[in-house]
Amino acid sequence: YLSEVLPQYLLEDKVNSVNRLLQGGQLELLQVGDRILYRGVNKAEMERMSELSSDERLVYKHIENSAGEGIWVRTLKQKTNLLQGVITRCLKVLEQRALIKSVKSVKHPTRKLYMLIDVDPSPDVTGGPWYTDQEMDTDFIDQLARQCYQFIYAHSFPRHNTKAVYSANHPGYPTSSQIKRFIHENRITNVDLSTGNIEELLAMLVYDGKIERIAPAFDMDVDVKPGSSSSNSAKPRTDWMYRAMRSTAKDSPFTDIPCGRCPVFDRCSDTGSITPAKCEYFKKWLAF
């Protein structure tokens, strides 16, 4: 490409010029697939890099390339081939100059990840909206899950007769995008939730047996109107629909206790050969 835009210069002159710019920190060498590309470095970045040693620049570049995922010290050692002591010194210098920061990962709590000071950690590192200060916010999750369930339940049965059910091809069951819109419009939380976050909550409710996921009767993507150019050029995304399971009366806690079905319940007392203290059924139940 340089040969095309600068045909008046000899190849040797262009190679020498590029090398000087690379050595001076004015150009950065990038590899995208099989192609070698050059990126111009702005003045502020040049000044910042000029104050660093070659080892510090090498460590900085690998941290920069890690973006929001961050990079572990052991990975830095593998990529740079520098000694552990050299890497530790470089990291200390970069942190003192407020160029990088260290964060903890919810997946690997014992690891310290490094990224640029102005880069936000990715959801894989922070845990997304479900974590606060590296701790899972179970109260927040339960509250949102409850709101999702109530919204789904309100749309799962006819209002005039809650004992009736809709037909098998009923199109009015809510989708994850509709539930997301409900949470946003009603300002249930100030946290910016994605459709994927909502689907994580719905998956939890499915596993708990409170709702079920069903295939839609037809495409439910309301953002694409029939007859529009978008509907002709690409098939709209089809969302799964969710239906609440019919709520039943809660079982009495006494149904789980062995006493409720004990064959010698009438002969059990505080004294004698049959007592709660000597009960084999109780021992097995408590051990479970």
Side-chain angles (χ1 to χ4, degrees):
Y1 183 73
L2 285 176
S3 300
E4 296 177 3
V5 298
L6 300 172
Q8 68 274 26
Y9 296 101
L10 296 175
L11 178 60
E12 183 180 357
D13 294 336
K14 285 182 283 192
V15 171
N16 292 334
S17 298
V18 168
N19 288 334
R20 283 196 299 270
L21 292 172
L22 287 171
Q23 293 174 358
Q26 296 170 284
L27 281 183
E28 183 179 1
L29 186 65
L30 303 174
Q31 182 172 357
V32 180
D34 297 332
R35 301 178 61 192
I36 301 298
L37 304 178
Y38 298 96
R39 182 182 71 88
V41 180
N42 59 47
K43 186 177 180 180
E45 188 175 355
M46 284 174 53
E47 293 177 353
R48 187 165 59 243
M49 293 295 101
S50 64
E51 299 175 353
L52 302 177
S53 66
S54 59
D55 291 339
E56 292 164 356
R57 284 198 297 269
L58 180 61
V59 171
Y60 178 88
K61 286 301 179 183
H62 281 290
I63 294 176
E64 182 181 33
N65 293 336
S66 69
E69 298 297 327
I71 190 168
W72 189 26
V73 173
R74 185 175 296 180
T75 307
L76 271 175
K77 186 177 180 181
Q78 294 172 350
K79 289 181 174 292
T80 61
N81 291 322
L82 296 175
L83 297 176
Q84 182 64 49
V86 176
I87 293 178
T88 302
R89 177 182 57 79
C90 292
L91 292 174
K92 184 177 181 180
V93 171
L94 294 174
E95 284 187 302
Q96 289 176 344
R97 297 188 180 184
L99 296 177
I100 65 171
K101 63 183 177 183
S102 62
V103 297
K104 290 184 177 180
S105 170
V106 295
K107 290 184 177 180
H108 308 285
T110 58
R111 296 184 184 181
K112 185 183 292 186
L113 303 178
Y114 291 91
M115 60 186 63
L116 297 188
I117 192 71
D118 56 348
V119 172
D120 293 326
S122 70
D124 289 337
V125 175
T126 62
W130 314 132
Y131 283 77
T132 302
D133 296 330
Q134 308 297 321
E135 296 290 337
M136 181 175 287
D137 195 341
T138 55
D139 291 338
F140 178 62
I141 294 173
D142 291 342
Q143 178 186 1
L144 280 180
R146 192 179 306 112
Q147 293 291 337
C148 291
Y149 174 73
Q150 291 175 355
F151 180 77
I152 295 172
Y153 193 90
H155 292 79
S156 295
F157 308 104
R159 294 185 179 181
H160 64 278
N161 185 2
T162 56
K163 294 183 179 181
V165 294
Y166 288 118
S167 61
N169 60 347
H170 176 63
Y173 296 117
T175 65
S176 57
S177 57
Q178 292 170 341
I179 297 171
K180 175 177 178 285
R181 190 181 306 118
F182 161 75
I183 291 176
H184 174 72
E185 292 177 352
N186 289 273
R187 299 180 180 180
I188 294 175
T189 176
N190 294 326
V191 178
D192 186 18
L193 298 174
S194 65
T195 303
N197 297 142
I198 299 299
E199 289 175 349
E200 290 174 349
L201 290 173
L202 297 177
M204 182 181 72
L205 291 173
V206 171
Y207 295 144
D208 289 344
K210 294 183 176 180
I211 64 174
E212 61 179 342
R213 192 176 74 160
I214 56 177
F218 54 83
D219 289 343
M220 295 294 294
D221 195 337
V222 298
D223 295 332
V224 180
K225 297 180 180 180
S228 65
S229 59
S230 298
S231 61
N232 294 330
S233 60
K235 185 178 180 180
R237 178 180 182 270
T238 299
D239 288 340
W240 286 91
M241 298 190 300
Y242 294 88
R243 176 173 59 190
M245 303 295 288
R246 180 76 71 179
S247 61
T248 58
K250 293 185 178 179
D251 294 333
S252 170
F254 290 104
T255 59
D256 289 334
I257 299 177
C259 303
R261 51 184 182 273
C262 180
V264 291
F265 176 77
D266 295 335
R267 296 165 56 190
C268 185
S269 64
D270 294 337
T271 60
S273 59
I274 302 176
T275 66
K278 300 176 183 178
C279 180
E280 293 296 327
Y281 300 115
F282 246 127
K283 291 178 181 179
K284 293 180 179 179
W285 181 67
L286 291 174
F288 178 77

